[in-house]
Amino acid sequence: MLVHLAPRADEFVALLAKRLPERTLRHSISVANFIGGIAEQAGVDRDDAITAGLLHDMFKATKAHELLAAAERYEIPITPIQREKPMLLHGAVAAEEARRNLGVTSDGVYEAMFWHTTGRAGLGRVGLALYFCDFAEPLRTMPESAEARARLASDGFIPALLYVAERKVEHVRAKYTVDPATEAFFGWLQQEYR
Ligand SMILES: [Fe+2]
Ligand SMILES: [Fe+2]
């Protein structure tokens, strides 16, 4: 598998296997494989992309009160929406954990993991690639994920990314209060790339 070509991939997979249910583990490896395969097309360093892909959901199975405690310990600012739904902190806590305890030093990887759920205005390239791959990785069964992969092949990274951002925002608007970071990300993407 492609992820095993990246330094430390085996170490990270072993760590994930201890803390994630099978389904999330398979998703994480699938994101890593996918993002590694499109790294050049997305304009990102392949090892950084694979690291972000592998580790982005490492707190996905962590209990709400533990996520809140970790966020407080790491001095991550907690928004009212996140206090209500602590699962929204899983990316931010993963970013801090990777930097503080796993020796992951790349700022791009940190930002990508931190913001992978909502995006943010000005998100860097690794972040854009992770945002895209988290939605479009081949184990996702939604038709929109297949469509995103098809658009990547036919139209390239940015048009495929815009498609994903539109689908995600539509979905969130229909179901929940939209996080201000998501709105800002979406507005910025439209302005920057449309
Ligand atoms: Fe996630
Ligand atoms: Fe994910």
Side-chain angles (χ1 to χ4, degrees), residues 27 56-57 60 87 90-91 116-117 134 140:
H27 161 71
H56 78 286
D57 275 342
K60 193 67 190 267
M87 179 49 68
H90 74 275
H116 82 262
T117 308
D134 195 18
R140 296 273 197 205

PDB file of all heavy atoms in Angstrom, residues 27 56-57 60 87 90-91 116-117 134 140, ligand 1:
ATOM      1  N   HIS A  27     -11.025   3.935   7.197  1.00  0.00           N
ATOM      2  CA  HIS A  27     -11.224   5.263   6.583  1.00  0.00           C
ATOM      3  C   HIS A  27      -9.912   6.063   6.611  1.00  0.00           C
ATOM      4  O   HIS A  27      -9.524   6.654   5.594  1.00  0.00           O
ATOM      5  CB  HIS A  27     -12.337   6.011   7.321  1.00  0.00           C
ATOM      6  CG  HIS A  27     -12.341   7.496   7.122  1.00  0.00           C
ATOM      7  ND1 HIS A  27     -12.695   8.095   5.924  1.00  0.00           N
ATOM      8  CD2 HIS A  27     -11.998   8.519   7.962  1.00  0.00           C
ATOM      9  CE1 HIS A  27     -12.582   9.415   6.051  1.00  0.00           C
ATOM     10  NE2 HIS A  27     -12.159   9.699   7.268  1.00  0.00           N
ATOM     11  N   HIS A  56      -5.663  12.416  10.964  1.00  0.00           N
ATOM     12  CA  HIS A  56      -6.692  13.453  11.145  1.00  0.00           C
ATOM     13  C   HIS A  56      -7.838  13.035  12.065  1.00  0.00           C
ATOM     14  O   HIS A  56      -8.411  13.854  12.756  1.00  0.00           O
ATOM     15  CB  HIS A  56      -7.227  13.941   9.788  1.00  0.00           C
ATOM     16  CG  HIS A  56      -8.204  13.023   9.130  1.00  0.00           C
ATOM     17  ND1 HIS A  56      -7.825  11.840   8.528  1.00  0.00           N
ATOM     18  CD2 HIS A  56      -9.550  13.100   8.985  1.00  0.00           C
ATOM     19  CE1 HIS A  56      -8.890  11.242   8.031  1.00  0.00           C
ATOM     20  NE2 HIS A  56      -9.953  11.976   8.300  1.00  0.00           N
ATOM     21  N   ASP A  57      -8.174  11.743  12.078  1.00  0.00           N
ATOM     22  CA  ASP A  57      -9.309  11.278  12.896  1.00  0.00           C
ATOM     23  C   ASP A  57      -8.856  10.480  14.112  1.00  0.00           C
ATOM     24  O   ASP A  57      -9.638   9.699  14.656  1.00  0.00           O
ATOM     25  CB  ASP A  57     -10.247  10.412  12.034  1.00  0.00           C
ATOM     26  CG  ASP A  57     -11.251  11.245  11.253  1.00  0.00           C
ATOM     27  OD1 ASP A  57     -11.464  12.428  11.604  1.00  0.00           O
ATOM     28  OD2 ASP A  57     -11.832  10.718  10.279  1.00  0.00           O
ATOM     29  N   LYS A  60     -11.291  10.528  16.850  1.00  0.00           N
ATOM     30  CA  LYS A  60     -12.702  10.404  16.425  1.00  0.00           C
ATOM     31  C   LYS A  60     -13.503   9.512  17.378  1.00  0.00           C
ATOM     32  O   LYS A  60     -14.713   9.659  17.508  1.00  0.00           O
ATOM     33  CB  LYS A  60     -12.733   9.838  14.999  1.00  0.00           C
ATOM     34  CG  LYS A  60     -14.057   9.916  14.283  1.00  0.00           C
ATOM     35  CD  LYS A  60     -14.440  11.352  13.986  1.00  0.00           C
ATOM     36  CE  LYS A  60     -15.871  11.478  13.480  1.00  0.00           C
ATOM     37  NZ  LYS A  60     -15.973  11.451  12.040  1.00  0.00           N
ATOM     38  N   MET A  87     -17.442  16.579  19.684  1.00  0.00           N
ATOM     39  CA  MET A  87     -16.863  15.815  18.573  1.00  0.00           C
ATOM     40  C   MET A  87     -16.217  16.742  17.539  1.00  0.00           C
ATOM     41  O   MET A  87     -15.248  16.381  16.878  1.00  0.00           O
ATOM     42  CB  MET A  87     -17.963  14.966  17.922  1.00  0.00           C
ATOM     43  CG  MET A  87     -17.534  14.126  16.745  1.00  0.00           C
ATOM     44  SD  MET A  87     -16.054  13.140  17.024  1.00  0.00           S
ATOM     45  CE  MET A  87     -16.710  11.987  18.224  1.00  0.00           C
ATOM     46  N   HIS A  90     -12.405  17.079  17.438  1.00  0.00           N
ATOM     47  CA  HIS A  90     -11.494  15.937  17.265  1.00  0.00           C
ATOM     48  C   HIS A  90     -10.298  16.274  16.370  1.00  0.00           C
ATOM     49  O   HIS A  90      -9.210  15.744  16.571  1.00  0.00           O
ATOM     50  CB  HIS A  90     -12.234  14.682  16.769  1.00  0.00           C
ATOM     51  CG  HIS A  90     -12.648  14.705  15.331  1.00  0.00           C
ATOM     52  ND1 HIS A  90     -13.811  15.285  14.897  1.00  0.00           N
ATOM     53  CD2 HIS A  90     -12.035  14.220  14.216  1.00  0.00           C
ATOM     54  CE1 HIS A  90     -13.902  15.148  13.582  1.00  0.00           C
ATOM     55  NE2 HIS A  90     -12.837  14.509  13.133  1.00  0.00           N
ATOM     56  N   GLY A  91     -10.494  17.174  15.402  1.00  0.00           N
ATOM     57  CA  GLY A  91      -9.392  17.551  14.516  1.00  0.00           C
ATOM     58  C   GLY A  91      -8.369  18.437  15.217  1.00  0.00           C
ATOM     59  O   GLY A  91      -7.157  18.233  15.092  1.00  0.00           O
ATOM     60  N   HIS A 116      -9.877  20.205   9.562  1.00  0.00           N
ATOM     61  CA  HIS A 116     -10.404  19.324   8.517  1.00  0.00           C
ATOM     62  C   HIS A 116     -11.921  19.191   8.518  1.00  0.00           C
ATOM     63  O   HIS A 116     -12.524  18.883   7.485  1.00  0.00           O
ATOM     64  CB  HIS A 116      -9.730  17.938   8.560  1.00  0.00           C
ATOM     65  CG  HIS A 116     -10.272  16.981   9.566  1.00  0.00           C
ATOM     66  ND1 HIS A 116      -9.685  16.795  10.792  1.00  0.00           N
ATOM     67  CD2 HIS A 116     -11.334  16.132   9.544  1.00  0.00           C
ATOM     68  CE1 HIS A 116     -10.366  15.871  11.470  1.00  0.00           C
ATOM     69  NE2 HIS A 116     -11.375  15.461  10.736  1.00  0.00           N
ATOM     70  N   THR A 117     -12.575  19.437   9.654  1.00  0.00           N
ATOM     71  CA  THR A 117     -14.034  19.286   9.701  1.00  0.00           C
ATOM     72  C   THR A 117     -14.747  20.477   9.069  1.00  0.00           C
ATOM     73  O   THR A 117     -15.703  20.309   8.313  1.00  0.00           O
ATOM     74  CB  THR A 117     -14.514  19.124  11.163  1.00  0.00           C
ATOM     75  OG1 THR A 117     -13.747  18.079  11.763  1.00  0.00           O
ATOM     76  CG2 THR A 117     -15.981  18.763  11.227  1.00  0.00           C
ATOM     77  N   ASP A 134     -11.004  13.591   2.616  1.00  0.00           N
ATOM     78  CA  ASP A 134     -11.833  13.079   3.703  1.00  0.00           C
ATOM     79  C   ASP A 134     -13.239  12.776   3.170  1.00  0.00           C
ATOM     80  O   ASP A 134     -13.874  11.799   3.569  1.00  0.00           O
ATOM     81  CB  ASP A 134     -11.891  14.155   4.801  1.00  0.00           C
ATOM     82  CG  ASP A 134     -12.406  13.623   6.123  1.00  0.00           C
ATOM     83  OD1 ASP A 134     -12.399  12.389   6.336  1.00  0.00           O
ATOM     84  OD2 ASP A 134     -12.818  14.450   6.967  1.00  0.00           O
ATOM     85  N   ARG A 140     -15.887   5.823   0.955  1.00  0.00           N
ATOM     86  CA  ARG A 140     -17.148   6.568   1.155  1.00  0.00           C
ATOM     87  C   ARG A 140     -18.163   6.070   0.136  1.00  0.00           C
ATOM     88  O   ARG A 140     -17.846   5.976  -1.058  1.00  0.00           O
ATOM     89  CB  ARG A 140     -16.929   8.066   0.954  1.00  0.00           C
ATOM     90  CG  ARG A 140     -15.992   8.703   1.968  1.00  0.00           C
ATOM     91  CD  ARG A 140     -16.732   9.146   3.196  1.00  0.00           C
ATOM     92  NE  ARG A 140     -15.956  10.090   3.986  1.00  0.00           N
ATOM     93  CZ  ARG A 140     -16.126  10.267   5.303  1.00  0.00           C
ATOM     94  NH1 ARG A 140     -17.014   9.552   5.968  1.00  0.00           N
ATOM     95  NH2 ARG A 140     -15.401  11.148   5.944  1.00  0.00           N
TER      96      ARG A 140
HETATM   97 FE    FE B   1     -12.799  13.923  11.076  1.00  0.00          FE
END
